[in-house]
Amino acid sequence: MTLPFIPKVVTANALLAGDVVYLTADDRWSRQLGDAELIEDEAHAQMRLLHGAAQRNVVVGVYLADARRGPHGPEPVHFRETFRTRGPSNYPHGKQAEPRHV
Amino acid sequence: MYSYSDFDRDFVRTRVAQFADQVQRRIDGALTEDEFRPLRLMNGLYLQLHAYMLRIAIPYGTINPRQMRQLALIADTWDKGYGHFTTRQNIQFNWPKLPDVPAILAALAEVEMHAIQTSGNTIRNVTADHFAGAAADEIEDPRPVAELLRQWSTDHPEFQFLPRKFKFAVTGSPHDRAVTHAHDVGLRMVRNAAGEPGYEVSVGGGLGRTPMIGAVVRAFLPKADLLPYVEAVLSVYNTLGRRDNKYKARIKITLHETGKIELTRLIEARFAELRPLFGGADQALLAEIEAAFAPPPFRDAPTDGFDAFYKADPVFRSWADTNLAAHRNPQYAIVTISLKAHGATPGDATSAQMRLIADLAESYGHSEIRISHEQNVILPHVHRADLPALHAALATLGLATANIGLISDIIACPGMDYCALATARSIPVAQEIALRFQELKLEHEIGPLKIKISGCINACGHHHVGHIGILGLDRAGVENYQITLGGDGTETTVIGERAGPGFAYDEIVPAIERLIAAYLGLRSSADETFLATYRRLGLAPFKAALYPAEGARDAA
């Protein structure tokens, strides 16, 4: 029996600023997970990963992260990805310090 | 302290120029990330969870006020107004942007600092006793030898591609404040039967996934033999180290697989070959370096002002009792400035705090500053008469916390708040433990206690040698914290014992609280420390306190 495919988003760090970015369905890199394309098909996920990884002068360390559908777009599954959506817990730095565009 | 020679200055500036060019080529697309990554790592630039991180060496923890102010300037100009001092006497900036890094490195070069060999499979920043040159129990200041090792190891062509990273620690005191036995090479100054100073050399210590205490391969090494001897150690390791398996590549595994007797034989054989090649230039250089570390001109003045203030002011008294250490000049004290205010991030200093520390070092400390592996700042030479004024000035920016060596003086790695390797957070656990015991007002009652927290198995937070060690792991997608007990990082090094199953994030602080309550009930007197009580009674009573439900089940 094969396990059901856990939906994915393509994520990476931006080359210049180093911050966390997500690949959108219209081929942009967004700084917000909610904008990301939620990929529910494994073969499509691999294609999108290759597409993201090919942009070697824009992003670094491209990978597929587990995600689930939420009311405002994809949401993280693992706590590491939750931290990546907001920033560190000891200071209001990183994404949590910026105005959200929901 | 040591000042750069023309050679050092040219070398660092050339490296900055090279790296500036490499960064530009990466941005232009001429270099791929695979090509660029080793280049940036050679210059201390990591890519972490939320941003780049620049790790800057503070050689053997010694830094001067001008350098400290430059770090403050860097924090304000290119980062978020603070820096993080680490367990390897480095400082890390958590938010630099790639295009700015060459400018940061150029600013560092202006004050004789750099980030070279703070990453990669090379010899890393040589760490030393943070009380070096001041401690009452010191045989000799270990920093000249640490500086010699720094010069020898920087860009050493034979040791740029070692099987794995390689860490030296040096202490000049019999009391080991530098955790030397948990380093790849630990050098501890001792005297031989004739009273001459030399080094006890231990090899193959290390924490991380396979914690091991270093094996003493030479009980007494004459000072003059130091460089050829450590070159022999590195040479043997470079040949035998397991390049096939990253997890078996440290010299501790070489020691384990080769055996102490055979490894010692190989080192001695290589040493016999290398020793004649060292014709004395290293010793001439060491003599020059030693002159640069001459002690400051100590002031001879009465200390009555200190004594009167100590009697009169309980806040000052509390600080003096915990944050001062014995100086070899009885009119002086070694001051530890706590970067562990309750609820603050261990090891972090704001730019304003850095500038204040620089000013105070100039006013009261002969312009000397040290960074400790315990993530605090040391003013090694303060005349006792100046301590009340120093304390009052420190208090203006939250730097007068009286908690050195106590439960809230916690080592914590950056953990999953910053680090890409981390499996769980460390910082908030440290913050919450410190706040909880402040709330309970038990800190001074508990007495000397070292809690050390790592957010992954690599053990940057030294959890194995904490009296209480906490290791954060990812257990099935949830943060989980394992406790080890009875560790010791001093000359009586012990790797702590795992207490049992881990605790969830919201269970770890209550678990520590149960542990401490048990200790307070078990100790023979208020003078018996946590560690001494643990050594006397062993794991069982502490385990019972950590896992009360299991005890109830067993009894049922």
Side-chain angles (χ1 to χ4, degrees), chain A residues 13-20 56-57 59-60 78-80 83-84 86-91 93-94, chain B residues 26 29 33 49-52 80 82 95 98-99 345 348 416-418 420 423 425 428 474 477-479:
Chain A
N13 290 77
L15 172 66
L16 297 184
D19 59 345
V20 175
R56 294 186 302 190
N57 296 329
V59 289
V60 181
H78 192 276
F79 61 89
R80 185 178 195 269
F83 298 151
R84 287 179 82 242
R86 60 182 189 221
S89 51
N90 60 331
Y91 298 117
H93 291 158
Chain B
R26 176 70 184 104
E33 187 62 19
L49 213 54
H50 312 292
Y52 287 97
K80 293 190 187 293
Y82 76 101
W95 303 95
L98 180 61
T345 301
D348 278 12
M416 206 188 269
D417 287 305
Y418 297 91
T423 43
R425 288 172 293 171
D474 173 354
V478 181
E479 287 170 294

Side-chain angles (χ1 to χ4, degrees), chain A residues 13-90:
Chain A
N13 290 77
L15 172 66
L16 297 184
D19 59 345
V20 175
V21 291
Y22 303 93
L23 187 62
T24 65
D26 59 351
D27 288 346
R28 289 177 299 112
W29 290 100
S30 169
R31 303 181 70 262
Q32 303 296 329
L33 175 58
D35 297 341
E37 175 187 9
L38 187 72
I39 308 165
E40 295 178 284
D41 173 79
E42 188 164 7
H44 185 55
Q46 290 304 321
M47 293 301 294
R48 296 300 285 163
L49 177 65
L50 287 172
H51 178 76
Q55 299 178 44
R56 294 186 302 190
N57 296 329
V58 183
V59 289
V60 181
V62 183
Y63 67 95
L64 292 169
D66 290 352
R68 63 177 153 241
R69 188 176 297 281
H72 305 290
E75 291 176 352
V77 172
H78 192 276
F79 61 89
R80 185 178 195 269
E81 292 304 322
T82 306
F83 298 151
R84 287 179 82 242
T85 65
R86 60 182 189 221
S89 51
N90 60 331

Side-chain angles (χ1 to χ4, degrees), chain B residues 243-284:
Chain B
R243 286 182 163 82
D244 62 310
N245 184 337
K246 185 181 172 182
Y247 301 118
K248 294 185 175 176
R250 295 290 289 269
I251 196 173
K252 61 189 173 187
I253 305 297
T254 313
L255 167 71
H256 188 70
E257 291 185 343
T258 313
K260 181 184 157 183
I261 292 169
E262 176 63 4
L263 189 69
T264 306
R265 189 190 68 75
L266 291 167
I267 292 168
E268 292 292 341
R270 182 65 180 144
F271 173 64
E273 290 171 352
L274 288 172
R275 185 66 188 89
L277 305 179
F278 282 72
D282 59 319
Q283 291 307 298

